[in-house]
Amino acid sequence: MCGIVGYAGENSAASVIIESLKKLEYRGYDSAGISILGSGIDTYKSVGKIVNLEATIPEGLSGNIGIGHTRWATHGRPSTINAHPHTSGNPCKISVVHNGIIENYMALKEQLTAEGYEFKSETDTEVIAHLLHKHIYGKPDGREAKCELLTGLREALKEIEGSYALAVLCADEQGKLVLARKDSPLVIGLGKGENFAASDVTAFLNYTRDVIFVNDFETAVLTPNSVEIFDREGKVREKKIEKIEWDFEAAEKAGYEHFMLKEIHEQVSAIHNTLAGKVSELEGTIDLKELNMADEEIRKLSRVQILACGTSWHAGLLGKYLFEQLAGIHCDIDICSEYRYRSPVISDGTLAIAITQSGETADTLAAVREIMSYNCPTLAITNVVGSTITREANSVLYTRAGPEIGVAATKTFSTQLTLLYLLAVKFALSRGKLSPDYVKGFITGLRKIPGQIQQILNQKEAVKECAENFAHSDNYFFLGRNLNYPIALEGALKLKEISYLHAEGFAAGELKHGPIALLEKGTPVVTIATKGQTYDKVLSNIKEVKARDATVIAVADNKDTEIGKYADVVLTIPPSSELLSPLLSVVVLQLLAYYTALARGCSIDKPRNLAKSVTVE
Ligand code: F6R
């Protein structure tokens, strides 16, 4: 997501920080900023490229302690005001850069506003600056520090829920910057007479390769000549110094060979971020305030119309199943390039949901404009804050997956699914179709998904071996039923996009209505055979495939003892409910596509003829 950097040394902090921010440009960002500690704190921010930020900084700006940030918006549109660092005090006493999401920022903002703190931005981060100020200076116009920055930070963190990597400056504590981490990456670089901090090592790889990784709940104090790390209770921690051997290109990908593989792994944290602040396991409730719909309005809905393209359309197709099965709402789904030309009938009580990771797909925008011309309320699900769709739709839910650089969508797909699950269950709750007790169980299951994805990733060698064995095939088929049908379509799309293999996804029951004619001896047929109401039917389909001498690669629960009798290869996922297992099965199919493309020597992150965002019709 965002990139943070910090510097304490003998050189000009502004120059080192600008260089470090440039090294983080590959992650994608919409604005940037720096704060330099001199006699006070000077802050400069700008939207767009780092060169724009550079242009705002006075030449020869002195100060050798500073912090910087590249922002990739999650709360509040891209703008200079929303760019970090965020500050508190007049004159500025505290400056903060943050990577992560503060889940309880609304409650903290209300409380701090009531205490007299004035908020300038729409971000969650600004609450940290004011909260810190409050703990250190007591009140908004407080001038005298009542405690040290580190003590104030530790106290403030007790009130914060969510994820953070923080770098903080305090005008009254010269010669140092302070760091904190929970659930967001943070690493310290050790130099001679200078020390660095960043959200990823690429930021300072030009200066040092000796690093200390900061762990959750640790805080740190950086000066030019010292690095001290503390545990949650404030006790000093001895930390191992590690040497980074990666070259710059490998470091950009955090050591992964491709962005796509990195992003497949990032699904663990991405889904966690999507859920942040939206679910209460204790109460069995789902909070989607961005939807701007009261329960009463949700009850009045008679139809949902989903609009999307490509992978986002596959997410939407699963959404259709969920809205109908869980909430009992009629749901249609259209491919956007078809929708606008097919004279759709739009009835009262329809909610349109446009799904687009980029928020810029021309066909999707055109379909949205079409449906909005009938005054149909429209909700956008997107990953890009400030994208065109967010300015046109009536309401927006963000996937918060962080920038996706690989052209093939992976983490944006699973986070789109996550939001669709939340929406469908929320609608079902409002319409009395599900009980809070059921929803509690659902939330417990959903919260387990990131950990279960990690288990799948831990066994990725099995998927790799399978991919290598079938990488020479001419055709690949993917079968799934019910909730797994959209996943079969997505598995086929991923494979064809990056490995250039011919791949088709089918509803398993459709096989005998035509596609079965394509099966030959050895044709790989990936079949999603997780436990559920159609399991036995899927086993019958597997037998049909086997009877044509094709090869079955089954995706199944790791507790399934039966499937091995029928399938040639079994790729397993941890047991999950029938409802949620698609979030796991898709990870296996993403890995299968990735390793097949790798074995075939394809250009994985930039497949031929494809663009990350399709802005033409
Ligand atoms: C596939 C893929 C595309 C996009 C499609 C829509 O990996 O990325 O199929 O899903 O071009 O893009 P968005 O979601 O940006 O509207």
Side-chain angles (χ1 to χ4, degrees):
M1 274 205 206
C2 304
I4 72 169
V5 299
Y7 177 74
E10 293 157 348
N11 294 309
S12 149
S15 323
V16 175
I17 289 169
I18 289 289
E19 280 320 300
S20 301
L21 291 179
K22 283 184 181 165
K23 298 287 184 222
L24 296 180
E25 283 191 298
Y26 77 93
R27 297 159 61 110
Y29 64 102
D30 50 60
S31 51
I34 65 168
S35 278
I36 303 297
L37 185 61
S39 49
I41 297 175
D42 293 317
T43 298
Y44 304 89
K45 311 187 201 188
S46 159
V47 285
K49 296 280 163 205
I50 307 286
V51 286
N52 301 352
L53 172 65
E54 259 182 303
T56 68
I57 301 172
E59 220 171 293
L61 178 69
S62 63
N64 45 22
I65 310 281
I67 55 178
H69 192 264
T70 49
R71 176 169 190 252
W72 200 82
T74 54
H75 290 82
R77 77 215 128 79
S79 68
T80 306
I81 284 189
N82 286 337
H84 298 212
H86 288 286
T87 59
S88 187
N90 188 12
C92 173
K93 292 288 190 184
I94 299 289
S95 180
V96 178
V97 289
H98 167 220
N99 180 14
I101 292 173
I102 304 304
E103 293 176 25
N104 59 337
Y105 87 101
M106 283 305 284
L108 289 172
K109 190 170 179 174
E110 273 167 32
Q111 182 192 316
L112 288 160
T113 306
E115 291 171 28
Y117 283 95
E118 265 178 52
F119 281 78
K120 299 188 201 91
S121 77
E122 304 158 306
T123 66
D124 53 338
T125 302
E126 197 180 350
V127 297
I128 307 174
H130 294 315
L131 193 62
L132 260 169
H133 186 282
K134 179 182 133 177
H135 279 282
I136 297 169
Y137 295 94
K139 51 185 181 173
D141 56 2
R143 295 286 161 96
E144 260 175 55
K146 302 199 177 316
C147 69
E148 280 187 11
L149 169 59
L150 188 62
T151 314
L153 177 63
R154 213 170 275 135
E155 287 306 309
L157 293 180
K158 288 183 189 158
E159 293 184 51
I160 287 173
E161 288 164 26
S163 56
Y164 50 79
L166 294 172
V168 186
L169 300 177
C170 175
D172 292 324
E173 294 205 23
Q174 291 293 310
K176 65 167 79 151
L177 66 97
V178 167
L179 307 166
R181 170 197 159 137
K182 179 181 167 259
D183 292 334
S184 267
L186 184 61
V187 57
I188 293 170
L190 307 172
K192 288 204 174 60
E194 56 183 359
N195 291 307
F196 308 82
S199 44
D200 86 59
V201 289
T202 45
F204 53 68
L205 221 47
N206 274 356
Y207 301 95
T208 180
R209 289 176 171 270
D210 293 332
V211 306
I212 295 175
F213 288 99
V214 181
N215 290 337
D216 279 351
F217 302 108
E218 287 179 344
T219 49
V221 177
L222 243 68
T223 72
N225 295 306
S226 66
V227 171
E228 275 186 305
I229 298 177
F230 305 91
D231 68 11
R232 209 199 281 237
E233 276 76 46
K235 288 200 206 83
V236 176
R237 297 202 74 164
E238 290 306 318
K239 299 277 294 191
K240 197 167 130 222
I241 299 175
E242 299 187 40
K243 201 155 215 68
I244 297 291
E245 308 287 359
W246 303 326
D247 61 17
F248 184 76
E249 210 189 314
E252 276 187 335
K253 296 174 191 135
Y256 293 105
E257 208 171 333
H258 295 94
F259 282 113
M260 182 180 176
L261 188 59
K262 176 173 178 260
E263 286 156 6
I264 290 173
H265 281 73
E266 281 173 351
Q267 291 178 113
V268 175
S269 57
I271 293 179
H272 185 81
N273 283 339
T274 310
L275 292 176
K278 292 193 165 53
V279 291
S280 162
E281 206 166 333
L282 212 62
E283 287 158 25
T285 52
I286 290 170
D287 182 356
L288 297 175
K289 45 179 130 11
E290 302 93 325
L291 192 59
N292 289 328
M293 277 179 100
D295 280 355
E296 192 48 39
E297 291 170 87
I298 294 173
R299 278 194 282 276
K300 282 190 191 145
L301 285 178
S302 58
R303 201 167 73 101
V304 170
Q305 169 69 59
I306 297 179
L307 300 166
C309 302
T311 287
S312 297
W313 186 84
H314 296 153
L317 186 58
L318 183 61
K320 171 184 163 68
Y321 283 53
L322 298 175
F323 285 122
E324 297 194 338
Q325 288 179 17
L326 298 174
I329 306 182
H330 175 98
C331 180
D332 291 318
I333 170 156
D334 273 75
I335 291 169
C336 294
S337 53
E338 288 296 311
Y339 186 76
R340 55 190 298 212
Y341 298 112
R342 74 163 178 81
S343 309
V345 177
I346 297 142
S347 52
D348 282 351
T350 300
L351 171 71
I353 302 181
I355 309 173
T356 164
Q357 66 79 21
S358 63
E360 300 294 350
T361 301
D363 288 325
T364 308
L365 292 172
V368 163
R369 285 170 195 148
E370 172 75 14
I371 201 161
M372 288 187 82
S373 72
Y374 292 88
N375 289 327
C376 178
T378 301
L379 163 73
I381 293 182
T382 187
N383 196 39
V384 183
V385 179
S387 56
T388 306
I389 195 102
T390 65
R391 296 194 294 273
E392 303 209 359
N394 303 101
S395 53
V396 184
L397 280 171
Y398 290 106
T399 41
R400 297 179 181 166
E404 192 174 65
I405 294 168
V407 164
T410 51
K411 61 178 179 170
T412 52
F413 177 71
S414 50
T415 51
Q416 286 169 350
L417 290 186
T418 304
L419 283 180
L420 289 162
Y421 275 104
L422 293 185
L423 269 170
V425 172
K426 164 96 190 151
F427 285 8
L429 252 180
S430 306
R431 295 159 76 93
K433 299 275 179 192
L434 293 177
S435 68
D437 270 346
Y438 175 94
V439 176
K440 280 182 200 170
F442 162 79
I443 295 173
T444 309
L446 194 54
R447 281 209 186 274
K448 280 193 194 144
I449 292 290
Q452 292 177 319
I453 291 180
Q454 189 57 58
Q455 288 176 40
I456 296 170
L457 296 171
N458 294 347
Q459 304 164 11
K460 60 182 186 254
E461 284 305 311
V463 186
K464 183 171 188 232
E465 192 186 320
C466 171
E468 285 166 356
N469 287 341
F470 296 99
H472 58 274
S473 310
D474 296 324
N475 294 302
Y476 237 104
F477 296 105
F478 289 76
L479 304 182
R481 276 178 182 261
N482 198 6
L483 300 178
N484 292 319
Y485 167 46
I487 302 302
L489 296 180
E490 176 59 8
L493 179 63
K494 282 293 87 99
L495 190 68
K496 68 182 116 179
E497 271 184 303
I498 59 167
S499 74
Y500 315 143
L501 257 172
H502 174 240
E504 297 289 343
F506 298 108
E510 235 349 70
L511 194 67
K512 53 188 166 303
H513 298 287
I516 202 161
L518 294 168
L519 296 185
E520 289 175 358
K521 189 171 176 5
T523 306
V525 180
V526 180
T527 309
I528 305 170
T530 44
K531 288 283 178 173
Q533 51 169 327
T534 59
Y535 178 75
D536 289 337
K537 304 259 186 273
V538 172
L539 284 190
S540 303
N541 297 131
I542 287 179
K543 287 173 198 161
E544 286 162 13
V545 170
K546 289 296 301 168
R548 273 80 190 174
D549 283 336
T551 302
V552 172
I553 302 167
V555 178
D557 301 337
N558 61 16
K559 296 261 177 335
D560 187 338
T561 49
E562 202 179 350
I563 191 78
K565 293 186 213 148
Y566 309 106
D568 300 277
V569 181
V570 181
L571 301 173
T572 60
I573 60 168
S576 165
S577 64
E578 179 181 12
L579 182 64
L580 291 171
S581 66
L583 282 166
L584 302 176
S585 303
V586 73
V587 179
V588 176
L589 302 192
Q590 292 166 346
L591 289 169
L592 187 68
Y594 172 79
Y595 285 119
T596 306
L598 191 68
R600 289 166 67 88
C602 298
S603 164
I604 293 180
D605 286 331
K606 290 196 175 112
R608 69 182 178 212
N609 307 336
L610 294 179
K612 185 71 189 156
S613 114
V614 185
T615 53
V616 289
E617 242 197 283

